[in-house]
Amino acid sequence: MLDRSGWESQLLETGFLGIFLCPLWTLSRLPSHTPPSTIVIWGFRWLIFRIMLGAGLIKIRGDRCWRELTCMDYHYEVLLIVSGNLSFLNWLTIVPSIACFDDTSLAFLFSSRQGGVKDQLAQMQVKRAAGEQLPLRYGCYVRKVVNISFGLLIAYLSVPVILNLLNSRQVMNTSFNPLRIVNTYGAFGSITKERTEVIIQGTSSMDPNDPTAVWEEYDFKCKPGDLKRRPCFISPYHYRLDWLMWFAAFQTYEQNEWIIHLAGKLLAQDEAALSLMATNPFAGRAPPRWIRAEHFKYKFSRPGGKHAGDGKWWIRKRIGPYFPPVNLQGLQKFYEDRSWPHPAQA
């Protein structure tokens, strides 16, 4: 469900500010020997600040994704993890936040046996309470040197990132050094404002240019196609072919040669390829002679409108051809040039 009120995002933003600002008053009271070190704490603050600044710029620019896609909404984040949609990115985002939990919250992860981590910590606390000065070990000095060096490196590498962030024509998904660290990568560096779809069609006609040729559509398991099929809920994983088709829709088939490979598989009625589709209009009969792809712009029908009254979830408008009609014979050289096995020979 789209969050149009915006209050959840505002509440989340307030939470981020609380996380960022609260340690300012408590940092001076943290014992010097207590992990995490100062540089780590400020490193986390910097990361949170970048999130806040980026979110603020999105709102200032009036980017609709802030309101319509609830970019910073935890409900959306959890849904992504549950569904498996880019879940690895969400898990990687959550893992570093574990360091922000209090030691008591993470105590169950460590052994309580004598001589274990908890026992050593208890002894240190007793000695500290008795006023005994604990000697700093060699490893503590090494850690401080490493943390400071790492902090200085991050600060140095962040300079072009900050300049790019403040630029009105900022570039996303870009690195500024050979190691590609401290970059401007974002899973959604830009959000398209229109939904375009590639619709694959097949025909049994001998002549694909015959105006009377009947073109039948292949439906995918989840992506928009059939105007009367409601949007699906993807769980516990997302359909990779549908995902690739989404990207192919705002690129060209020359940039996505795999889609021609898929066309050849459909021409040959390849069972593995057809198992990835929701429908096969040629099931139980001869395979299609030609396959083509058409490009459409999709949008939701309005509740109570004419299209919704006809049971249509979507309204679409043809943009033009995506790739021209192809047959197995015509794809022979295309497959040979790429060392792909020809579907008819599989």
Side-chain angles (χ1 to χ4, degrees), residues 239-258:
Y239 300 98
R240 292 196 173 189
L241 181 57
D242 295 47
W243 177 255
L244 289 173
M245 290 294 291
W246 176 46
F247 285 99
F250 48 81
Q251 297 174 337
T252 65
Y253 76 88
E254 290 90 348
Q255 296 172 294
N256 298 272
E257 292 186 344
W258 59 267

Side-chain angles (χ1 to χ4, degrees), residues 127-251:
K127 293 178 181 179
R128 175 65 64 177
E132 182 179 343
Q133 291 293 330
L134 299 176
L136 291 178
R137 298 180 179 178
Y138 174 75
C140 293
Y141 292 105
V142 173
R143 190 185 70 173
K144 285 188 175 183
V145 172
V146 171
N147 286 341
I148 293 173
S149 301
F150 181 72
L152 293 175
L153 176 63
I154 295 298
Y156 171 75
L157 295 177
S158 296
V159 172
V161 177
I162 296 173
L163 295 177
N164 178 72
L165 185 63
L166 298 176
N167 195 322
S168 60
R169 301 181 65 182
Q170 61 176 272
V171 181
M172 296 300 296
N173 302 334
T174 303
S175 58
F176 300 91
N177 57 80
L179 297 179
R180 298 187 177 184
I181 56 178
V182 194
N183 50 53
T184 61
Y185 172 75
F188 296 96
S190 61
I191 302 294
T192 55
K193 295 183 178 180
E194 293 183 344
R195 174 116 198 189
T196 58
E197 295 292 341
V198 175
I199 304 299
I200 296 179
Q201 304 172 337
T203 182
S204 298
S205 174
M206 297 292 293
D207 181 8
N209 298 315
D210 185 352
T212 63
V214 178
W215 291 92
E216 301 177 76
E217 297 183 1
Y218 289 85
D219 269 328
F220 288 75
K221 292 188 175 180
C222 199
K223 90 173 190 69
D226 181 0
L227 300 181
K228 293 187 176 181
R229 188 177 66 176
R230 66 173 177 80
C232 67
F233 179 78
I234 308 172
S235 181
Y237 59 89
H238 71 280
Y239 300 98
R240 292 196 173 189
L241 181 57
D242 295 47
W243 177 255
L244 289 173
M245 290 294 291
W246 176 46
F247 285 99
F250 48 81
Q251 297 174 337

Side-chain angles (χ1 to χ4, degrees), residues 199 201 217 225 227 296-298 314-318:
I199 304 299
Q201 304 172 337
E217 297 183 1
L227 300 181
F296 288 88
K297 180 170 71 174
Y298 273 69
W314 302 96
I315 303 172
R316 76 181 185 185
K317 180 180 180 181
R318 184 176 181 272

